[in-house]
Amino acid sequence: MFCIFKGKKQMRLSKNFTLTEFTKSQTALRKGLDNTMPEEHLEAAKLLAEHVLQPVRDHFGITTINSGYRGEELNKAVGGSPTSQHCKGQAADIEVPGVSNYDVAKWIEKNCDFDQVILEFYTPGIPDSGWVHVSYDPNDLKKQVMTATKQDGKTVYLTGLVA
């Protein structure tokens, strides 16, 4: 499935998401890193888009991918976990303009199949703070729900969505 955007052919992961936006990274651009996703991860990215990202878009409207696929070098550059699902095309960090990230995470929890949904660095009372990390692994849909926060300068993961 392809679309034409700005005169260029782009692969679609779902009705509203392209491979280009899933692999786009400001950090990769700044550091001159190639963030091309290997074909072996394409099916995982399509499944994530079809089962989580597209349903979020269909429900809320415009949905922004802040971080999708990350190659090994990019993942290191952003301080990602060496076992990050971003490196397999199975995860994305998203936001929906005008909608609280807590509300987006809560909706995913109630309406989608997923491996993990993490409300990351959300500040209650500031709806657009933080972002929502979501992953989809068809072999491990454990539906793990967490909130990531900083405590004493370290990232701590709390069970459930904490607002």
Side-chain angles (χ1 to χ4, degrees):
M1 183 165 43
F2 291 91
C3 68
I4 303 297
F5 180 73
K6 294 186 179 180
K8 295 183 180 177
K9 193 173 176 181
Q10 292 192 33
M11 177 177 278
R12 286 205 174 276
L13 299 176
S14 70
K15 180 177 128 189
N16 294 108
F17 291 96
T18 65
L19 180 60
T20 300
E21 69 186 304
F22 192 70
T23 59
K24 181 180 177 182
S25 166
Q26 296 300 324
T27 301
L29 289 171
R30 269 194 313 277
K31 294 186 175 270
L33 302 174
D34 179 8
N35 198 45
T36 303
M37 187 170 66
E39 194 169 324
E40 69 219 39
H41 299 311
L42 186 57
E43 186 60 26
K46 285 181 180 179
L47 289 171
L48 173 64
E50 290 168 4
H51 291 274
V52 184
L53 303 179
Q54 190 62 50
V56 168
R57 168 72 187 253
D58 291 343
H59 182 76
F60 290 107
I62 299 296
T63 301
T64 304
I65 299 173
N66 297 333
S67 180
Y69 173 75
R70 291 187 211 142
E72 188 178 328
E73 285 185 79
L74 176 58
N75 194 54
K76 284 180 188 173
V78 299
S81 164
T83 59
S84 173
Q85 287 178 286
H86 285 275
C87 299
K88 300 174 189 171
Q90 295 177 329
D93 297 337
I94 62 171
E95 293 183 76
V96 176
V99 180
S100 161
N101 286 317
Y102 176 87
D103 292 343
V104 173
K106 194 71 171 165
W107 188 88
I108 293 169
E109 177 186 28
K110 289 182 177 181
N111 296 283
C112 297
D113 286 329
F114 57 88
D115 178 24
Q116 288 184 322
V117 64
I118 306 172
L119 181 61
E120 299 205 44
F121 309 109
Y122 175 76
T123 302
I126 305 175
D128 64 348
S129 62
W131 59 89
V132 177
H133 168 93
V134 65
S135 64
Y136 186 89
D137 177 351
N139 301 312
D140 192 14
L141 295 175
K142 60 185 170 235
K143 293 196 113 170
Q144 184 178 38
V145 179
M146 295 182 286
T147 298
T149 186
K150 287 280 186 192
Q151 292 180 1
D152 298 322
K154 296 186 179 195
T155 301
V156 175
Y157 292 90
L158 308 172
T159 300
L161 297 176
V162 180

